[in-house]
Amino acid sequence: MPGTPVVFVHGLWLHASSWTPWVELFAEKGYAPVAPGWPGEPGTAEAARADPDAVAGQGISAVTDHYAALIEELPEKPIVIGHSFGGLIAEKLIGQGCARACVAISPAQFKGNLALPPVQLKTAFPVLSRPGLRTKSWIHTKDSWAAGFANAVPRAEADALYDSYAVPSPMRPLFQAALANFALHSEATVDVHRARGPVLVIGAGRDRTVPEATSRAAYTILAKSPGVTEWAAFPDRGHSYAVDSSWREVADRALDFLSRHGL
């Protein structure tokens, strides 16, 4: 019989292929993993870089609906695992009753999360200072990637990650999350009251894109739910820890969490 489905959701500036090591590991462990791209995302990172307009304009609701529709085609409710904005999408999906469990790795802010460390604002400023990017896509330079995304690994590794996985991403979600607490009906809203399956939130101590304080604040809010909510942190890791040389430690933490909850 096929194993429990697992849906991996990537965040901004990473291609879906960045989940390949996770997909292979989870398949070895008996799961049935898939890592679909965002709506409009080309099949390879190279193709995505060649066509930056393919994803431009996509917002949080459109991406969430895209994954919810894919989940509808699965034989049973999956586990959802997301990184960065993928973590926010994963939180939304379990809040909508689409998933049996969720692992949110350095999840982007949802409405009600008031944490905003200065380093996070500094990392997002190149985009948020240019309102015209709201309907467009944007990609890091190698320098900004190494400074704000892959800052906890050597520069050679950061550059290799960029060459393999970095892609242009729609900037609408970043603006939506940044303004969520000022919008009455923000798309960056997570249902934190629904009875739901277990959720694990993971933070990284050297993360400059979604600092540990922001991830911990998400955990604190989600822990008010009647469902099980757990917290884990990697003090010496940066935002790229889901895909860099630290990925296996993060994956093992997720697998342990799922095993302890009979999943």
Side-chain angles (χ1 to χ4, degrees):
M1 293 179 61
T4 301
V6 180
V7 176
F8 292 99
V9 188
H10 69 81
L12 300 180
W13 306 304
L14 283 173
H15 189 265
S17 58
S18 61
W19 284 119
T20 298
W22 287 72
V23 169
E24 293 173 349
L25 174 64
F26 273 65
E28 290 172 6
K29 300 296 183 180
Y31 293 93
V34 292
W38 282 28
E41 181 179 310
T44 66
E46 182 179 14
R49 288 192 288 265
D51 187 12
D53 292 333
V55 296
Q58 300 286 354
I60 293 171
S61 290
V63 178
T64 304
D65 291 347
H66 171 74
Y67 281 93
L70 294 170
I71 286 171
E72 281 288 322
E73 302 298 319
L74 298 176
E76 58 182 302
K77 283 186 181 181
I79 297 158
V80 288
I81 299 178
H83 170 238
S84 196
F85 265 93
L88 170 58
I89 301 302
E91 291 167 341
K92 285 179 67 69
L93 288 167
I94 195 167
Q96 293 174 3
C98 296
R100 64 173 62 190
C102 165
V103 178
I105 304 166
S106 289
Q109 280 165 299
F110 54 77
K111 184 177 176 66
N113 186 340
L114 302 178
L116 187 61
V119 68
Q120 183 175 7
L121 188 59
K122 179 180 178 181
T123 301
F125 184 76
V127 173
L128 297 180
S129 63
R130 299 161 62 190
L133 287 175
R134 186 190 301 266
T135 59
K136 299 178 181 179
S137 65
W138 183 83
I139 185 172
H140 276 282
T141 65
K142 280 193 173 181
D143 286 343
S144 65
W145 170 274
F149 196 98
N151 57 286
V153 297
R155 181 60 190 256
E157 182 178 354
D159 287 349
L161 289 170
Y162 186 96
D163 291 338
S164 296
Y165 302 129
V167 295
S169 292
M171 291 298 94
R172 185 180 295 277
L174 192 62
F175 283 93
Q176 290 174 321
L179 299 173
N181 291 317
F182 304 98
L184 183 60
H185 301 293
S186 172
E187 293 185 13
T189 299
V190 172
D191 186 344
V192 299
H193 303 294
R194 175 192 289 266
R196 49 137 175 96
V199 170
L200 170 65
V201 181
I202 305 177
R206 295 177 62 190
D207 196 327
R208 296 176 179 173
T209 298
V210 182
E212 182 180 341
T214 304
S215 297
R216 186 182 291 275
Y219 159 75
T220 300
I221 296 169
L222 292 167
K224 297 175 183 178
S225 162
V228 171
T229 312
E230 295 187 12
W231 166 254
F234 291 84
D236 296 325
R237 305 301 182 225
H239 195 64
S240 65
Y241 66 138
V243 298
D244 63 28
S245 52
S246 302
W247 77 268
R248 182 59 192 262
E249 296 175 73
V250 187
D252 284 343
R253 186 66 60 90
L255 286 166
D256 173 71
F257 165 76
L258 296 172
S259 176
R260 287 189 288 102
H261 292 286
L263 295 163

Coordinates of all heavy atoms in Angstrom, one line a residue, residues 21-105:
P21 N 16.2 16.3 -2.0 CA 16.7 15.4 -0.9 C 15.7 15.0 0.1 O 15.7 13.8 0.6 CB 17.8 16.2 -0.3 CG 18.2 17.2 -1.3 CD 16.9 17.5 -2.1
W22 N 14.8 15.9 0.5 CA 13.7 15.5 1.4 C 12.8 14.5 0.8 O 12.4 13.5 1.5 CB 12.9 16.8 1.7 CG 13.5 17.8 2.6 CD1 14.6 18.6 2.3 CD2 13.2 18.1 4.0 NE1 14.9 19.5 3.3 CE2 14.0 19.2 4.4 CE3 12.2 17.6 4.8 CZ2 13.9 19.7 5.7 CZ3 12.1 18.2 6.1 CH2 13.0 19.2 6.5
V23 N 12.4 14.7 -0.5 CA 11.5 13.7 -1.1 C 12.1 12.3 -1.1 O 11.4 11.3 -0.8 CB 11.2 14.2 -2.6 CG1 10.5 13.1 -3.4 CG2 10.3 15.5 -2.5
E24 N 13.4 12.3 -1.5 CA 14.1 11.0 -1.5 C 14.1 10.3 -0.1 O 13.9 9.1 0.0 CB 15.5 11.1 -2.1 CG 15.5 11.6 -3.6 CD 16.9 11.9 -4.1 OE1 17.8 12.0 -3.3 OE2 17.0 12.0 -5.3
L25 N 14.4 11.1 0.9 CA 14.5 10.6 2.3 C 13.1 10.1 2.7 O 13.0 9.0 3.3 CB 15.0 11.7 3.2 CG 15.0 11.3 4.7 CD1 16.0 10.1 5.0 CD2 15.4 12.5 5.5
F26 N 12.1 10.9 2.5 CA 10.8 10.5 3.0 C 10.3 9.3 2.2 O 9.5 8.5 2.8 CB 9.8 11.7 2.9 CG 9.8 12.6 4.1 CD1 11.0 13.3 4.4 CD2 8.7 12.7 4.9 CE1 11.0 14.2 5.6 CE2 8.7 13.5 6.0 CZ 9.9 14.3 6.4
A27 N 10.6 9.2 1.0 CA 10.2 8.0 0.2 C 10.9 6.8 0.8 O 10.3 5.7 1.0 CB 10.6 8.1 -1.2
E28 N 12.2 6.9 1.2 CA 12.9 5.8 1.8 C 12.2 5.4 3.2 O 12.3 4.2 3.6 CB 14.4 6.2 2.1 CG 15.2 6.3 0.8 CD 16.6 6.9 1.2 OE1 16.9 7.1 2.4 OE2 17.3 7.2 0.2
K29 N 11.7 6.3 3.9 CA 11.0 6.1 5.2 C 9.6 5.6 5.0 O 8.9 5.4 6.0 CB 11.0 7.4 6.0 CG 12.4 7.9 6.3 CD 13.2 7.0 7.2 CE 14.6 7.6 7.5 NZ 15.4 6.6 8.3
G30 N 9.1 5.4 3.8 CA 7.8 4.8 3.6 C 6.7 5.8 3.3 O 5.5 5.3 3.2
Y31 N 7.0 7.1 3.2 CA 6.0 8.0 2.9 C 5.8 8.1 1.4 O 6.5 7.5 0.6 CB 6.4 9.4 3.4 CG 6.4 9.5 4.9 CD1 7.6 9.3 5.6 CD2 5.3 9.9 5.6 CE1 7.6 9.4 7.0 CE2 5.3 10.0 7.0 CZ 6.5 9.8 7.7 OH 6.5 9.9 9.1
A32 N 4.8 8.8 1.0 CA 4.5 9.1 -0.5 C 4.6 10.6 -0.7 O 3.6 11.3 -0.7 CB 3.1 8.6 -0.9
P33 N 5.9 11.1 -0.9 CA 6.1 12.5 -0.9 C 6.0 13.1 -2.3 O 6.3 12.5 -3.3 CB 7.5 12.6 -0.4 CG 8.2 11.4 -0.9 CD 7.1 10.3 -0.8
V34 N 5.5 14.4 -2.4 CA 5.5 15.1 -3.6 C 5.9 16.6 -3.3 O 5.7 17.1 -2.2 CB 4.1 15.1 -4.3 CG1 3.8 13.8 -4.8 CG2 3.1 15.7 -3.4
A35 N 6.5 17.2 -4.3 CA 7.0 18.6 -4.1 C 6.6 19.4 -5.3 O 7.4 19.8 -6.2 CB 8.5 18.7 -3.9
P36 N 5.3 19.8 -5.4 CA 4.8 20.6 -6.5 C 5.3 22.0 -6.4 O 5.5 22.5 -5.4 CB 3.3 20.5 -6.4 CG 3.0 19.5 -5.3 CD 4.2 19.5 -4.4
G37 N 5.5 22.6 -7.6 CA 5.8 24.0 -7.6 C 4.7 24.9 -7.4 O 3.5 24.5 -7.3
W38 N 4.9 26.2 -7.3 CA 3.9 27.2 -7.2 C 3.2 27.3 -8.5 O 3.7 26.9 -9.6 CB 4.5 28.6 -6.8 CG 4.8 28.7 -5.3 CD1 5.2 27.7 -4.5 CD2 4.9 29.9 -4.6 NE1 5.4 28.2 -3.2 CE2 5.3 29.5 -3.2 CE3 4.6 31.2 -4.8 CZ2 5.4 30.5 -2.2 CZ3 4.8 32.2 -3.8 CH2 5.1 31.8 -2.5
P39 N 2.0 27.9 -8.6 CA 1.3 28.0 -9.9 C 2.1 28.8 -10.9 O 2.6 29.9 -10.5 CB 0.0 28.8 -9.5 CG 0.2 29.3 -8.1 CD 1.2 28.5 -7.5
G40 N 2.2 28.3 -12.1 CA 3.0 28.9 -13.1 C 4.5 28.7 -13.1 O 5.2 29.1 -14.0
E41 N 5.0 27.9 -12.1 CA 6.4 27.7 -11.9 C 6.9 26.8 -13.0 O 6.4 25.6 -13.1 CB 6.7 27.2 -10.5 CG 8.2 26.9 -10.2 CD 8.4 26.4 -8.8 OE1 7.8 27.1 -7.9 OE2 9.0 25.4 -8.6
P42 N 7.9 27.2 -13.7 CA 8.5 26.2 -14.7 C 9.2 25.0 -14.0 O 9.4 25.0 -12.8 CB 9.6 27.1 -15.4 CG 9.1 28.5 -15.3 CD 8.5 28.5 -13.9
G43 N 9.4 24.0 -14.8 CA 9.9 22.7 -14.3 C 11.3 22.7 -13.7 O 11.6 21.8 -13.0
T44 N 12.1 23.6 -14.1 CA 13.5 23.6 -13.6 C 13.8 25.0 -13.2 O 13.2 26.0 -13.6 CB 14.5 23.2 -14.7 OG1 14.5 24.2 -15.7 CG2 14.1 21.8 -15.3
A45 N 14.9 25.1 -12.3 CA 15.3 26.4 -11.8 C 15.8 27.3 -13.0 O 15.6 28.5 -13.1 CB 16.4 26.3 -10.8
E46 N 16.5 26.6 -13.9 CA 17.1 27.3 -15.1 C 15.9 27.9 -15.9 O 16.0 29.1 -16.3 CB 17.9 26.4 -15.9 CG 18.6 27.0 -17.1 CD 19.4 26.0 -17.9 OE1 19.3 24.8 -17.7 OE2 20.2 26.5 -18.8
A47 N 14.9 27.2 -16.2 CA 13.8 27.7 -16.9 C 13.0 28.8 -16.2 O 12.6 29.7 -16.8 CB 12.8 26.5 -17.2
A48 N 13.0 28.7 -14.9 CA 12.3 29.7 -14.1 C 13.1 31.0 -14.1 O 12.5 32.1 -14.2 CB 12.2 29.3 -12.6
R49 N 14.4 30.9 -14.1 CA 15.2 32.2 -14.2 C 15.1 32.8 -15.6 O 15.2 34.0 -15.7 CB 16.7 31.8 -13.9 CG 16.9 31.6 -12.4 CD 18.4 31.5 -12.1 NE 19.1 30.4 -12.6 CZ 19.3 29.3 -11.9 NH1 18.9 29.1 -10.7 NH2 20.0 28.3 -12.5
A50 N 14.8 32.0 -16.6 CA 14.7 32.5 -18.0 C 13.3 33.1 -18.2 O 13.2 33.8 -19.2 CB 14.9 31.3 -19.0
D51 N 12.4 32.8 -17.4 CA 11.0 33.4 -17.6 C 10.5 33.9 -16.2 O 9.6 33.4 -15.6 CB 10.1 32.2 -18.1 CG 8.7 32.7 -18.5 OD1 8.5 34.0 -18.5 OD2 7.8 31.9 -18.7
P52 N 11.0 35.0 -15.8 CA 10.6 35.6 -14.5 C 9.2 36.0 -14.4 O 8.6 36.1 -13.3 CB 11.6 36.8 -14.3 CG 12.0 37.1 -15.7 CD 12.1 35.9 -16.4
D53 N 8.5 36.3 -15.5 CA 7.1 36.7 -15.5 C 6.2 35.6 -15.3 O 5.0 35.8 -15.1 CB 6.8 37.5 -16.8 CG 7.5 38.8 -16.9 OD1 7.9 39.4 -15.8 OD2 7.8 39.3 -18.0
A54 N 6.6 34.3 -15.4 CA 5.7 33.2 -15.3 C 5.0 33.1 -14.0 O 3.9 32.6 -13.9 CB 6.5 31.9 -15.5
V55 N 5.6 33.6 -12.9 CA 5.0 33.6 -11.6 C 4.5 34.9 -11.1 O 4.0 35.0 -10.0 CB 5.9 32.9 -10.6 CG1 6.2 31.5 -10.9 CG2 7.2 33.7 -10.4
A56 N 4.8 36.0 -11.8 CA 4.5 37.3 -11.3 C 3.1 37.5 -11.0 O 2.2 37.1 -11.7 CB 5.0 38.4 -12.4
G57 N 2.8 38.2 -9.9 CA 1.4 38.5 -9.5 C 0.7 37.5 -8.6 O -0.3 37.8 -8.1
Q58 N 1.3 36.3 -8.4 CA 0.7 35.3 -7.6 C 0.7 35.8 -6.1 O 1.7 36.2 -5.6 CB 1.4 34.0 -7.7 CG 1.4 33.4 -9.1 CD 0.1 32.8 -9.5 OE1 -0.8 32.7 -8.8 NE2 0.0 32.4 -10.8
G59 N -0.5 35.7 -5.5 CA -0.6 36.0 -4.1 C -0.8 34.8 -3.2 O -0.9 33.7 -3.6
I60 N -0.9 35.1 -1.9 CA -0.9 34.0 -0.9 C -2.2 33.1 -1.1 O -2.1 31.9 -1.1 CB -0.9 34.6 0.5 CG1 0.4 35.2 0.8 CG2 -1.2 33.5 1.6 CD1 0.5 36.0 2.1
S61 N -3.3 33.7 -1.4 CA -4.5 32.9 -1.6 C -4.4 32.0 -2.8 O -4.9 30.8 -2.8 CB -5.8 33.8 -1.6 OG -6.0 34.3 -0.4
A62 N -3.9 32.6 -3.9 CA -3.8 31.8 -5.1 C -2.9 30.6 -4.9 O -3.1 29.5 -5.4 CB -3.3 32.7 -6.3
V63 N -1.8 30.8 -4.2 CA -0.8 29.7 -4.0 C -1.5 28.7 -3.1 O -1.4 27.4 -3.3 CB 0.5 30.2 -3.4 CG1 1.4 29.1 -3.1 CG2 1.1 31.2 -4.3
T64 N -2.1 29.1 -2.0 CA -2.8 28.2 -1.1 C -3.9 27.4 -1.8 O -4.0 26.1 -1.7 CB -3.5 28.9 0.1 OG1 -2.5 29.8 0.7 CG2 -4.1 28.0 1.1
D65 N -4.7 28.0 -2.7 CA -5.7 27.3 -3.4 C -5.1 26.3 -4.4 O -5.7 25.2 -4.6 CB -6.6 28.3 -4.2 CG -7.4 29.2 -3.3 OD1 -7.6 28.9 -2.1 OD2 -7.9 30.2 -3.8
H66 N -4.0 26.7 -5.0 CA -3.2 25.8 -5.9 C -2.9 24.5 -5.2 O -3.1 23.4 -5.7 CB -2.0 26.5 -6.4 CG -1.0 25.6 -7.2 ND1 -1.3 25.2 -8.4 CD2 0.2 25.2 -6.8 CE1 -0.2 24.5 -8.9 NE2 0.7 24.4 -7.9
Y67 N -2.3 24.6 -4.0 CA -1.9 23.4 -3.2 C -3.2 22.6 -2.7 O -3.2 21.4 -2.7 CB -1.0 23.7 -2.1 CG 0.4 24.0 -2.6 CD1 0.9 25.2 -2.9 CD2 1.3 22.9 -2.7 CE1 2.2 25.4 -3.4 CE2 2.6 23.1 -3.2 CZ 3.0 24.3 -3.5 OH 4.3 24.5 -4.0
A68 N -4.2 23.4 -2.3 CA -5.4 22.7 -1.8 C -6.0 21.9 -2.9 O -6.5 20.8 -2.7 CB -6.4 23.8 -1.3
A69 N -6.0 22.4 -4.1 CA -6.5 21.6 -5.3 C -5.7 20.4 -5.5 O -6.3 19.3 -5.9 CB -6.6 22.5 -6.5
L70 N -4.4 20.5 -5.4 CA -3.5 19.3 -5.6 C -3.8 18.3 -4.5 O -3.8 17.1 -4.8 CB -2.1 19.7 -5.6 CG -1.6 20.6 -6.8 CD1 -0.2 21.1 -6.5 CD2 -1.6 19.8 -8.1
I71 N -4.0 18.7 -3.3 CA -4.3 17.8 -2.2 C -5.6 17.1 -2.4 O -5.7 15.9 -2.0 CB -4.3 18.6 -0.9 CG1 -2.9 19.0 -0.5 CG2 -5.0 17.9 0.3 CD1 -2.8 20.0 0.7
E72 N -6.6 17.8 -3.0 CA -7.9 17.1 -3.3 C -7.7 15.9 -4.1 O -8.5 15.0 -4.1 CB -8.8 18.1 -4.0 CG -9.5 19.1 -3.1 CD -10.5 18.5 -2.2 OE1 -11.3 17.6 -2.7 OE2 -10.6 18.9 -1.0
E73 N -6.7 15.8 -4.9 CA -6.4 14.7 -5.8 C -5.7 13.5 -5.1 O -5.6 12.4 -5.7 CB -5.6 15.1 -7.0 CG -6.2 16.2 -7.8 CD -7.6 15.8 -8.4 OE1 -7.7 14.7 -8.9 OE2 -8.5 16.6 -8.4
L74 N -5.2 13.7 -3.9 CA -4.5 12.7 -3.2 C -5.5 11.7 -2.6 O -6.7 12.0 -2.3 CB -3.7 13.3 -2.1 CG -2.5 14.2 -2.6 CD1 -1.8 14.8 -1.4 CD2 -1.5 13.5 -3.5
P75 N -5.1 10.4 -2.3 CA -6.0 9.4 -1.8 C -6.4 9.7 -0.3 O -7.4 9.2 0.2 CB -5.2 8.1 -1.9 CG -3.8 8.6 -1.9 CD -3.8 9.9 -2.7
E76 N -5.6 10.5 0.4 CA -6.0 10.8 1.8 C -5.3 12.1 2.2 O -4.4 12.6 1.4 CB -5.5 9.7 2.8 CG -4.0 9.4 2.7 CD -3.6 8.3 3.6 OE1 -3.9 8.4 4.8 OE2 -3.1 7.3 3.1
K77 N -5.7 12.7 3.3 CA -5.1 14.0 3.7 C -3.6 13.8 3.9 O -3.2 12.8 4.6 CB -5.8 14.5 5.0 CG -7.2 15.1 4.8 CD -7.6 15.7 6.1 CE -9.0 16.4 5.9 NZ -9.5 17.0 7.2
P78 N -2.8 14.7 3.5 CA -1.4 14.6 3.6 C -0.9 15.3 4.9 O -1.6 16.0 5.6 CB -0.9 15.3 2.4 CG -1.8 16.4 2.2 CD -3.2 15.9 2.6
I79 N 0.4 15.0 5.1 CA 1.2 15.9 6.0 C 1.7 17.0 5.1 O 2.1 16.7 3.9 CB 2.4 15.1 6.6 CG1 1.9 13.9 7.5 CG2 3.4 16.0 7.3 CD1 2.9 12.8 7.7
V80 N 1.7 18.2 5.6 CA 2.3 19.3 4.8 C 3.5 19.8 5.5 O 3.5 20.0 6.7 CB 1.3 20.5 4.5 CG1 0.2 20.0 3.5 CG2 0.6 20.9 5.8
I81 N 4.6 20.0 4.7 CA 5.8 20.6 5.2 C 6.2 21.8 4.4 O 6.4 21.6 3.2 CB 7.0 19.5 5.2 CG1 6.6 18.3 6.1 CG2 8.3 20.1 5.7 CD1 7.6 17.2 6.1
G82 N 6.4 22.9 5.0 CA 6.7 24.1 4.2 C 7.8 24.9 4.9 O 8.0 24.9 6.1
H83 N 8.5 25.6 4.0 CA 9.7 26.4 4.4 C 9.4 27.9 4.0 O 9.0 28.2 2.9 CB 11.0 25.9 3.8 CG 12.1 26.9 3.9 ND1 12.8 27.4 2.9 CD2 12.8 27.3 5.1 CE1 13.8 28.2 3.3 NE2 13.8 28.1 4.6
S84 N 9.6 28.8 5.0 CA 9.4 30.2 4.7 C 8.0 30.6 4.3 O 7.1 30.2 5.1 CB 10.5 30.7 3.6 OG 10.6 32.1 3.6
F85 N 7.8 31.1 3.1 CA 6.4 31.4 2.7 C 5.7 30.0 2.5 O 4.4 29.9 2.7 CB 6.3 32.2 1.5 CG 6.1 33.7 1.9 CD1 7.1 34.5 2.0 CD2 4.8 34.2 2.1 CE1 7.0 35.9 2.3 CE2 4.6 35.5 2.5 CZ 5.7 36.3 2.6
G86 N 6.4 29.0 2.2 CA 5.8 27.7 2.2 C 5.3 27.2 3.5 O 4.3 26.5 3.7
G87 N 6.0 27.7 4.6 CA 5.6 27.4 6.0 C 4.3 28.0 6.3 O 3.4 27.5 6.9
L88 N 4.1 29.3 5.8 CA 2.8 30.0 6.0 C 1.7 29.3 5.2 O 0.6 29.1 5.7 CB 3.0 31.4 5.5 CG 1.7 32.3 5.4 CD1 0.9 32.3 6.7 CD2 2.0 33.7 4.8
I89 N 2.0 28.9 4.0 CA 1.0 28.1 3.2 C 0.6 26.9 3.9 O -0.6 26.5 4.0 CB 1.5 27.8 1.8 CG1 1.9 29.1 1.0 CG2 0.5 27.0 1.0 CD1 0.8 30.1 0.9
A90 N 1.6 26.1 4.5 CA 1.3 24.9 5.2 C 0.4 25.2 6.4 O -0.5 24.4 6.7 CB 2.6 24.2 5.6
E91 N 0.7 26.3 7.1 CA -0.1 26.6 8.3 C -1.5 26.9 7.8 O -2.5 26.6 8.5 CB 0.5 27.8 9.0 CG 1.8 27.5 9.7 CD 2.5 28.8 10.1 OE1 2.3 29.9 9.6 OE2 3.4 28.7 11.0
K92 N -1.7 27.6 6.7 CA -3.0 27.9 6.2 C -3.7 26.6 5.8 O -4.9 26.5 6.1 CB -2.9 28.9 5.0 CG -2.6 30.3 5.4 CD -2.5 31.2 4.1 CE -3.9 31.4 3.4 NZ -4.8 32.2 4.2
L93 N -3.0 25.7 5.2 CA -3.7 24.5 4.7 C -4.2 23.6 5.9 O -5.3 23.1 5.8 CB -2.7 23.7 3.9 CG -2.4 24.2 2.5 CD1 -1.2 23.5 1.9 CD2 -3.6 24.1 1.6
I94 N -3.4 23.5 6.9 CA -3.9 22.7 8.1 C -5.0 23.5 8.8 O -6.0 22.9 9.3 CB -2.8 22.3 9.0 CG1 -3.3 21.2 10.0 CG2 -2.2 23.5 9.8 CD1 -2.2 20.5 10.8
G95 N -4.9 24.8 8.8 CA -6.0 25.6 9.4 C -7.3 25.5 8.6 O -8.4 25.7 9.1
Q96 N -7.2 25.1 7.3 CA -8.4 25.0 6.5 C -8.9 23.5 6.5 O -9.9 23.2 5.8 CB -8.1 25.4 5.0 CG -7.8 26.9 4.9 CD -7.4 27.2 3.5 OE1 -7.3 26.4 2.6 NE2 -7.0 28.5 3.3
G97 N -8.2 22.7 7.2 CA -8.6 21.3 7.3 C -8.1 20.4 6.2 O -8.7 19.3 5.9
C98 N -7.1 20.9 5.4 CA -6.6 20.1 4.3 C -5.5 19.2 4.6 O -5.1 18.4 3.7 CB -6.1 21.1 3.2 SG -7.4 22.2 2.5
A99 N -5.0 19.2 5.8 CA -3.9 18.3 6.1 C -4.0 17.7 7.5 O -4.7 18.2 8.4 CB -2.6 19.2 6.1
R100 N -3.3 16.6 7.7 CA -3.4 15.9 9.0 C -2.3 16.4 10.0 O -2.4 16.1 11.2 CB -3.3 14.4 8.8 CG -2.0 13.9 8.2 CD -1.9 12.4 8.2 NE -2.9 11.8 7.3 CZ -3.2 10.5 7.2 NH1 -2.5 9.7 8.0 NH2 -4.1 10.1 6.4
A101 N -1.3 17.0 9.5 CA -0.2 17.5 10.3 C 0.6 18.5 9.5 O 0.5 18.5 8.3 CB 0.7 16.3 10.8
C102 N 1.4 19.3 10.2 CA 2.1 20.4 9.5 C 3.5 20.6 10.2 O 3.6 20.6 11.4 CB 1.3 21.7 9.6 SG 2.2 23.2 9.2
V103 N 4.5 20.8 9.4 CA 5.8 21.2 9.8 C 6.1 22.5 9.1 O 6.2 22.5 7.9 CB 6.9 20.2 9.5 CG1 8.3 20.7 10.0 CG2 6.6 18.8 10.2
A104 N 6.2 23.6 9.9 CA 6.5 24.9 9.4 C 7.9 25.3 9.7 O 8.2 25.6 10.9 CB 5.4 25.9 9.9
I105 N 8.7 25.4 8.7 CA 10.2 25.7 8.9 C 10.4 27.2 8.6 O 10.2 27.7 7.5 CB 11.0 24.9 8.0 CG1 10.7 23.4 8.2 CG2 12.5 25.2 8.2 CD1 11.3 22.5 7.1

